[in-house]
Amino acid sequence: MNDRRPSSASRRLADARAFFDPQRLAIGRRLRGLRKNQLAALVGTTPTAVGQYEAGTHRPSERTLSQLALALGVPVEFFTVGHGARAVDSAHAHFRSLRSTSQIERDQALSHGHLAAGIVALLEHYVELPDVSIPEYPVWPEEIAGEGPIKAARLARQLLNVPRGPIRHVVRLLEQHGVVALHLPPVSRRLDAFSVSAHPRPLVLLNPAKGDYYRNRFDGGHELGHLIMHADAEPGSRIVEDQAHRFAAEFLMPEEEIAEQLPAMAQWDRLAALKAQWGVSMAALLYRGRTLGIMRDVTYRNAMSTMSSRGWRQQEPGVRPPLEQPTLLTKAVELLTEAGIGRDALAEQAHVSRGDFDLLVPERPYPPPAL
């Protein structure tokens, strides 16, 4: 007698088609940086058909769904609503480089945020992550030259229990207070860090492409400023970005602690020592000296001109420490692996490929340090 029961692969395809989520197809396409016509060419259909699938007016056949999964390098279950998947509000994603990056680049980065939010939701089903304890201090865009960002940064250091002096590890501080920090997989070097409020747990996605320890730390402070000040602000404006910049400067280099240390002239040895002490770039220190009125505008401009002529605007001299690494999700996965739930099982439950899972939650190639 022939066994007419459907195969496991057939059942998976049938279930994926029955519970097809149009938004997931759009996320998958953007994740790979593809336009509709490019994806259509890969699966042998038309851009109009792809648009109809993403709009939800038509549902792809099982054969087309299988081709879409193959073209995008995802399991067919990716196109269904994932385990506890949470929506990432793209309207409140604070991108810093709206003019220098393309919409495709921003969509690709935001799609990684969608995947990360789903993975976080899955891990929270098993592991208790730190409570979100980020304060709120709204600063409105209309407050162009006010002290709002400075007050917000001082409040943040107080409520996040930051001791006096330099912040030793910005990413660790974010994670300790419930923010999920991630390194973006390889994307455009033109894309800076961005943050998004993925309810109920905010995300900060850092771009490691430039490999700059000091820039990444400042980016972390900048995005924390957005999370604290701009929950309801329209992202992308120059004023909002300037406010987050001023927040990061005060958060990482408090005026009352650093003002007496900053030189009035471009003393490069002194700036290099302060750079190592505070974990910020010489360019940031020069700008801080200027904004605090310690360094005159003409002195600042001459110093920046010198940095440009020496190539220091691209790469400053001195030791380049390795980037601060997020570990919150990696530690959660390590705990689950010890409990018998490995990465393959977690990727399957999150409805993502193992490759995408490992890119967002990388394995540690070394034993965790003793704390």
Side-chain angles (χ1 to χ4, degrees), residues 235-265:
S237 75
R238 180 180 297 180
I239 295 173
V240 165
E241 292 304 311
D242 179 68
Q243 288 174 342
H245 217 64
R246 291 165 59 202
F247 173 97
E250 176 65 25
F251 187 70
L252 295 173
M253 299 170 281
E255 177 181 0
E256 68 171 17
E257 298 180 46
I258 203 171
E260 293 184 356
Q261 302 178 26
L262 291 170
M265 305 297 292

Coordinates of all heavy atoms in Angstrom, one line a residue, residues 235-265:
P235 N 11.7 61.6 13.8 CA 13.2 61.3 13.6 C 13.7 62.0 12.3 O 13.0 62.3 11.4 CB 13.2 59.8 13.5 CG 11.9 59.4 12.9 CD 10.9 60.4 13.5
G236 N 15.0 62.2 12.4 CA 15.8 62.6 11.2 C 16.1 64.1 11.0 O 16.9 64.4 10.2
S237 N 15.4 64.9 11.8 CA 15.6 66.3 11.7 C 17.0 66.7 12.3 O 17.5 66.1 13.2 CB 14.6 67.1 12.4 OG 14.7 67.1 13.8
R238 N 17.6 67.8 11.7 CA 18.9 68.3 12.2 C 18.8 68.6 13.7 O 19.8 68.4 14.4 CB 19.3 69.4 11.4 CG 20.7 70.0 11.8 CD 21.1 71.2 10.9 NE 21.3 70.8 9.5 CZ 21.6 71.7 8.6 NH1 21.8 73.0 8.9 NH2 21.7 71.3 7.3
I239 N 17.7 69.2 14.1 CA 17.6 69.6 15.5 C 17.6 68.4 16.4 O 18.3 68.4 17.5 CB 16.3 70.5 15.7 CG1 16.4 71.8 14.9 CG2 16.1 70.7 17.2 CD1 15.2 72.6 15.0
V240 N 16.8 67.4 16.1 CA 16.8 66.2 16.9 C 18.1 65.5 17.0 O 18.5 65.1 18.1 CB 15.7 65.3 16.4 CG1 15.8 63.9 17.0 CG2 14.3 65.8 16.7
E241 N 18.8 65.4 15.9 CA 20.1 64.8 15.9 C 21.1 65.6 16.7 O 22.0 65.1 17.4 CB 20.6 64.6 14.4 CG 19.8 63.6 13.7 CD 19.8 62.3 14.3 OE1 20.9 61.8 14.7 OE2 18.7 61.7 14.5
D242 N 21.0 67.0 16.6 CA 21.9 67.8 17.4 C 21.7 67.7 18.9 O 22.6 67.6 19.7 CB 21.7 69.3 17.0 CG 22.6 70.2 17.8 OD1 23.9 70.2 17.6 OD2 22.1 71.0 18.6
Q243 N 20.4 67.5 19.2 CA 20.1 67.3 20.7 C 20.7 66.0 21.2 O 21.3 65.9 22.3 CB 18.6 67.3 20.8 CG 17.9 68.6 20.7 CD 16.4 68.6 20.8 OE1 15.8 67.5 20.6 NE2 15.8 69.7 21.0
A244 N 20.6 64.9 20.4 CA 21.2 63.6 20.8 C 22.7 63.7 20.8 O 23.4 63.1 21.7 CB 20.8 62.5 19.8
H245 N 23.3 64.5 20.0 CA 24.8 64.8 20.0 C 25.2 65.5 21.3 O 26.2 65.1 21.9 CB 25.2 65.6 18.7 CG 26.5 65.2 18.2 ND1 26.7 64.0 17.6 CD2 27.6 65.9 18.1 CE1 27.9 63.9 17.2 NE2 28.5 65.1 17.4
R246 N 24.4 66.5 21.6 CA 24.7 67.2 22.8 C 24.5 66.4 24.1 O 25.3 66.5 25.1 CB 23.9 68.5 22.9 CG 24.2 69.5 21.9 CD 23.1 70.6 21.7 NE 22.9 71.3 23.0 CZ 21.8 71.9 23.3 NH1 20.8 71.9 22.4 NH2 21.6 72.6 24.4
F247 N 23.5 65.5 24.0 CA 23.3 64.6 25.1 C 24.5 63.7 25.3 O 25.1 63.5 26.4 CB 22.1 63.7 24.9 CG 21.9 62.6 25.8 CD1 21.0 62.8 26.9 CD2 22.5 61.4 25.7 CE1 20.8 61.7 27.8 CE2 22.3 60.3 26.6 CZ 21.5 60.5 27.7
A248 N 25.0 63.1 24.2 CA 26.1 62.1 24.2 C 27.4 62.8 24.8 O 28.1 62.2 25.5 CB 26.4 61.5 22.8
A249 N 27.6 64.1 24.3 CA 28.8 64.8 24.8 C 28.8 65.0 26.3 O 29.8 64.7 27.0 CB 28.9 66.1 24.1
E250 N 27.6 65.4 26.9 CA 27.5 65.6 28.3 C 27.5 64.2 29.0 O 28.1 64.1 30.1 CB 26.3 66.4 28.7 CG 26.0 66.5 30.1 CD 27.0 67.4 30.8 OE1 27.7 68.2 30.2 OE2 27.2 67.2 32.1
F251 N 26.9 63.2 28.4 CA 26.8 61.9 29.1 C 28.2 61.3 29.2 O 28.6 60.7 30.2 CB 25.9 61.0 28.3 CG 25.6 59.7 28.9 CD1 24.8 59.6 30.1 CD2 26.1 58.5 28.4 CE1 24.5 58.4 30.7 CE2 25.8 57.3 29.0 CZ 25.0 57.2 30.1
L252 N 29.0 61.4 28.1 CA 30.4 60.8 28.1 C 31.4 61.7 28.7 O 32.5 61.2 29.2 CB 30.7 60.4 26.7 CG 29.9 59.3 26.0 CD1 30.2 59.1 24.6 CD2 30.0 58.0 26.8
M253 N 31.2 63.0 28.6 CA 32.2 64.0 29.1 C 31.5 65.0 29.9 O 31.3 66.2 29.4 CB 32.9 64.6 27.9 CG 33.7 63.6 27.0 SD 34.3 64.4 25.4 CE 32.7 64.5 24.5
P254 N 31.1 64.7 31.1 CA 30.4 65.7 31.9 C 31.2 67.0 32.1 O 32.4 67.0 32.4 CB 30.2 65.0 33.3 CG 30.4 63.5 33.0 CD 31.3 63.5 31.8
E255 N 30.5 68.1 31.9 CA 31.2 69.4 32.0 C 31.9 69.6 33.3 O 33.0 70.1 33.3 CB 30.1 70.5 31.8 CG 30.7 71.9 31.9 CD 29.7 73.0 31.7 OE1 28.5 72.7 31.5 OE2 30.1 74.2 31.8
E256 N 31.2 69.3 34.4 CA 31.8 69.6 35.7 C 33.1 68.7 36.0 O 33.9 69.1 36.9 CB 30.8 69.4 36.8 CG 30.4 68.0 37.0 CD 29.5 67.8 38.3 OE1 29.0 68.8 38.8 OE2 29.4 66.7 38.8
E257 N 33.3 67.7 35.2 CA 34.4 66.8 35.5 C 35.5 67.0 34.4 O 36.7 66.8 34.8 CB 34.0 65.3 35.4 CG 33.0 65.0 36.5 CD 32.6 63.5 36.5 OE1 33.5 62.7 36.3 OE2 31.4 63.2 36.5
I258 N 35.2 67.4 33.2 CA 36.2 67.5 32.2 C 36.6 68.9 31.8 O 37.7 69.1 31.2 CB 35.7 66.8 30.9 CG1 36.9 66.3 30.0 CG2 34.7 67.7 30.1 CD1 36.5 65.4 28.9
A259 N 35.9 69.9 32.2 CA 36.2 71.3 31.8 C 37.6 71.7 32.2 O 38.3 72.3 31.4 CB 35.1 72.2 32.4
E260 N 38.0 71.4 33.4 CA 39.3 71.8 33.8 C 40.4 71.0 33.2 O 41.6 71.4 33.2 CB 39.4 71.7 35.3 CG 38.5 72.6 36.1 CD 38.7 72.6 37.6 OE1 39.5 71.7 38.0 OE2 38.1 73.4 38.3
Q261 N 40.1 69.9 32.5 CA 41.1 69.1 31.9 C 41.4 69.4 30.4 O 42.4 69.1 29.9 CB 40.7 67.6 32.0 CG 40.5 67.1 33.4 CD 40.1 65.6 33.4 OE1 40.4 64.8 32.5 NE2 39.4 65.2 34.5
L262 N 40.4 70.1 29.8 CA 40.5 70.4 28.4 C 41.5 71.5 28.1 O 41.4 72.6 28.8 CB 39.1 70.7 27.8 CG 38.1 69.6 27.8 CD1 36.7 70.1 27.4 CD2 38.5 68.5 26.8
P263 N 42.3 71.4 27.2 CA 43.3 72.5 26.9 C 42.6 73.5 26.0 O 41.7 73.3 25.2 CB 44.4 71.8 26.1 CG 43.7 70.6 25.4 CD 42.6 70.2 26.4
A264 N 43.1 74.8 26.2 CA 42.6 75.9 25.4 C 43.2 75.9 24.0 O 42.7 76.5 23.1 CB 42.8 77.2 26.1
M265 N 44.4 75.2 23.8 CA 45.1 75.1 22.6 C 45.1 73.6 22.1 O 44.8 72.8 22.9 CB 46.5 75.7 22.7 CG 46.5 77.1 23.2 SD 45.7 78.3 22.1 CE 46.9 78.2 20.7

